[in-house]
Amino acid sequence: MSRPRALDLAEVGLPGAAIGAVSGVVVGLLALVVGQPVGWAAVGALTLGVPLALFGVGYGMLVARGWFRPGVFAPVAFYWMVGFPASRLLHETVTPVLLGGNPTPPSDVLTFFAFQALVSMGFAIGFIWLYERIAPYWLMRIQDHNADARRVFGIYAEHAQTMWEARERKRARRQAGRVPAASGSARVKSRRSS
């Protein structure tokens, strides 16, 4: 029996979900460090971690669908320019509700979105850095039963092979251009004596 494609796509997106969830946990820990009550920190971690995890799964699914190419930053930046501010707006608005208060959206939503879009660039850099290190190992593990994972892992493997070959060519050029130390010093002495 064949698995549903949506399940395969979601499975490919799990590294992104993990990064989003961990980001929420970090926010909760930072809230504790600055003196917020444990309940507030936990709810804050949840209200930011869940949307970031969902956007992280979405990113992995889009990679699996071929919309984003692994290793390319610009699409990730644009994706998180929408995803991060939306997650932050939900975090900012819903956290007080879950703690028994009223929804408190920012007074100037456009300025809030603009600022969060700027912050999202840093998040996007961290996200893609982590994703590119976690995802290939995950894809390698699930590629036997997941065709999407097998295809995306093939892209990562091809990219790694290309990078390895480029590095080896560069190393070979350096080695070919290098002159042994003894013959180099002999040349310098012979020039001085003439």
Side-chain angles (χ1 to χ4, degrees):
M1 181 165 106
S2 161
R3 289 166 34 120
R5 176 106 195 270
L7 185 60
D8 284 349
L9 291 172
E11 188 177 31
V12 170
L14 284 178
I19 295 167
V22 167
S23 300
V25 169
V26 168
V27 165
L29 292 174
L30 289 174
L32 286 174
V33 167
V34 298
Q36 294 291 335
V38 174
W40 183 275
V43 171
L46 184 68
T47 58
L48 185 59
V50 169
L52 288 176
L54 292 174
F55 276 106
V57 167
Y59 174 77
M61 293 172 82
L62 291 172
V63 167
R65 300 265 318 179
W67 285 47
F68 295 152
R69 183 148 174 86
V72 179
F73 178 70
V76 179
F78 286 119
Y79 182 79
W80 285 111
M81 279 180 76
V82 174
F84 188 81
S87 298
R88 279 286 296 123
L89 181 63
L90 187 68
H91 172 249
E92 193 80 14
T93 305
V94 174
T95 300
V97 172
L98 294 177
L99 293 168
N102 295 325
T104 57
S107 57
D108 185 0
V109 175
L110 289 178
T111 303
F112 177 83
F113 264 98
F115 178 73
Q116 295 305 320
L118 288 173
V119 172
S120 75
M121 292 300 104
F123 183 81
I125 290 168
F127 179 87
I128 194 68
W129 186 84
L130 283 171
Y131 192 87
E132 297 291 320
R133 276 138 191 85
I134 296 169
Y137 294 105
W138 174 248
L139 296 170
M140 187 169 47
R141 289 186 58 160
I142 64 171
Q143 70 178 333
D144 291 337
H145 66 271
N146 188 323
D148 290 311
R150 188 170 30 261
R151 187 181 58 72
V152 177
F153 181 70
I155 293 169
Y156 275 110
E158 180 183 322
H159 180 68
Q161 181 67 31
T162 302
M163 296 302 291
W164 176 264
E165 289 170 357
R167 188 176 88 180
E168 290 301 310
R169 281 193 302 272
K170 186 176 179 181
R171 183 179 291 161
R173 279 195 307 270
R174 253 193 323 243
Q175 291 294 332
R178 198 175 281 169
V179 179
S183 64
S185 61
R187 265 193 250 147
V188 171
K189 287 179 186 176
S190 66
R191 283 185 194 155
R192 287 183 187 159
S193 61
S194 42

